[in-house]
């Protein structure tokens, strides 16, 4: 195996995970995710469908990355950062995935703590 996955983590179908990436305790990588090489996915991280994560990215504990997010190389996400893909969510109305907003985090960005 070219990457490390803790035994409590879940990786769904059709994911691509780069060499030397580490996925820690209780994290969930959803379907069709692409994670680059030499990344660290901390404890209790959720990565939604179709997310793209570049090389040398560090995502700390309790981060939620929802569909529509693209992280370029060398991004740092501090603990408990949460991305959203719906600008005005409503509890009793389903939002079509076609209306999800895109978020691009540029190379070298630092988010959160």
């Amino acid at each position: 195996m070219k990457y490390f996955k803790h035994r409590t983590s879940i990786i769904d179908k059709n994911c691509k995970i780069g060499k030397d990436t580490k996925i820690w305790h209780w994290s969930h990588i959803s379907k069709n995710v692409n994670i680059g090489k030499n990344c660290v996915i901390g404890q209790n991280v959720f990565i939604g469908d179709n997310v793209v994560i570049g090389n040398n990215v560090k995502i700390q504990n309790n981060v939620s990355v929802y569909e529509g997010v693209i992280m370029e190389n060398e991004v740092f996400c501090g603990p408990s950062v949460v991305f959203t893909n719906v600008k005005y969510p409503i509890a009793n109305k389903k939002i079509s995935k076609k209306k999800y907003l895109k978020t691009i985090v540029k190379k070298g960005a630092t988010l959160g703590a």
Side-chain angles (χ1 to χ4, degrees):
M1 187 177 290
K2 296 179 182 178
Y3 62 89
F4 169 80
K5 171 195 162 296
H6 189 271
R7 63 181 175 78
T8 60
S9 291
I10 299 167
I11 299 175
D12 290 348
K13 296 179 184 178
N14 299 319
C15 292
K16 294 179 184 174
I17 300 171
K19 183 180 177 187
D20 296 327
T21 288
K22 295 174 182 66
I23 301 169
W24 291 102
H25 310 71
W26 305 296
S27 291
H28 182 176
I29 312 301
S30 297
K31 66 184 179 193
N32 304 316
V33 168
N34 190 346
I35 300 174
K37 64 183 179 182
N38 198 39
C39 295
V40 177
I41 309 299
Q43 180 175 299
N44 195 42
V45 170
F46 173 77
I47 299 179
D49 296 353
N50 307 306
V51 167
V52 176
I53 297 173
N55 299 319
N56 303 305
V57 171
K58 186 169 187 178
I59 300 176
Q60 299 232 291
N61 298 349
N62 304 306
V63 172
S64 296
V65 184
Y66 293 104
E67 185 168 356
V69 174
I70 297 170
M71 289 186 201
E72 294 182 350
N73 297 337
E74 301 166 10
V75 169
F76 175 87
C77 288
S80 301
V81 166
V82 178
F83 291 86
T84 187
N85 52 18
V86 177
K87 194 168 187 174
Y88 301 107
I90 300 170
N92 64 350
K93 182 178 177 187
K94 184 171 171 122
I95 305 296
S96 168
K97 287 187 176 188
K98 293 178 185 177
K99 294 187 177 185
Y100 284 177
L101 299 173
K102 301 290 183 201
T103 301
I104 299 173
V105 182
K106 295 301 218 174
K107 179 180 179 180
T110 297
L111 305 169

